[in-house]
Amino acid sequence: MGEEFFFEAAGERLAATRTTGTGGADPEILTLHGLGTTATRHRARYLLDAWAAHGHGSLTFDFSGNGDSSGDLSRSTLRRRRAETLAAAAWLRKDRPPVVVGTSLGAHLAAWTVRELRPRALVLFCPAAYPEHAADLPFDGSLVRPANHSDSPAYAALREFDGDLLIFGARQDQVCAPEVIEGYLDNARRARSAEVVWFEGCDHFVHRWLPDQVPEREETVRAVLRLLAA
């Protein structure tokens, strides 16, 4: 069962769900959802509940302007969401590095915060990458499309990452081209390990598709459990 609560970040009130790990330990997994009016912290709960059943707690939250959080989505920016990510990380356990799970835009943020969070693993679903100049563009239609932008802050931060990188890509991804995943792999130069798992028959909206694909869902759960145990 998850505990529902709110926390403050940059003047906004963000809705969050926290599950505790074995022995009541604070969460070790931080999950970041993607962009869109319907994106919420609940999209990946089917995975978080499975990991919790094995003793691994998690924290998931709605970025400002989404779900139950305050704020206006059209005024949000990548930089604001980066600050919200760091604020959420304050609720994680302090005795070991976290595992950060990001989907689409959330994957960009997961990589961009590597220097501060020092995660032991990154788990990225259909990752997006945005160029440096996009950091302060509002989400009112001004944000550039994700692509393999060589100057992406996500790529720059990822070059310092020394943990395990696990990427789940969709063969029919209509938002982020395969070249974006290549960009992540090319910049994960110091990663202890890097692996890509491809989903056949899946488009960009992976968390709408994966819950009903029993073999793929179970293997996804197991793959992340292996990283959590490392």
Side-chain angles (χ1 to χ4, degrees), residues 55-137:
H56 301 285
S58 65
L59 175 71
T60 181
F61 69 99
D62 293 333
F63 285 109
S64 60
N66 280 103
D68 299 315
S69 292
S70 67
D72 181 351
L73 178 62
S74 67
R75 299 179 62 185
S76 190
T77 65
L78 289 166
R79 195 180 306 279
R80 174 181 286 274
R81 293 203 163 187
R82 184 179 191 275
E84 293 171 357
T85 297
L86 296 177
W91 296 88
L92 300 174
R93 60 187 298 176
K94 304 298 191 295
D95 60 334
R96 65 184 313 186
V99 171
V100 183
V101 180
T103 300
S104 189
L105 181 144
H108 173 93
L109 296 169
W112 194 9
T113 53
V114 157
R115 296 188 182 106
E116 292 84 2
L117 301 186
R118 311 305 301 178
R120 69 183 191 272
L122 290 174
V123 180
L124 310 180
F125 289 88
C126 299
Y130 297 90
E132 184 176 10
H133 79 270
D136 297 304
L137 296 177

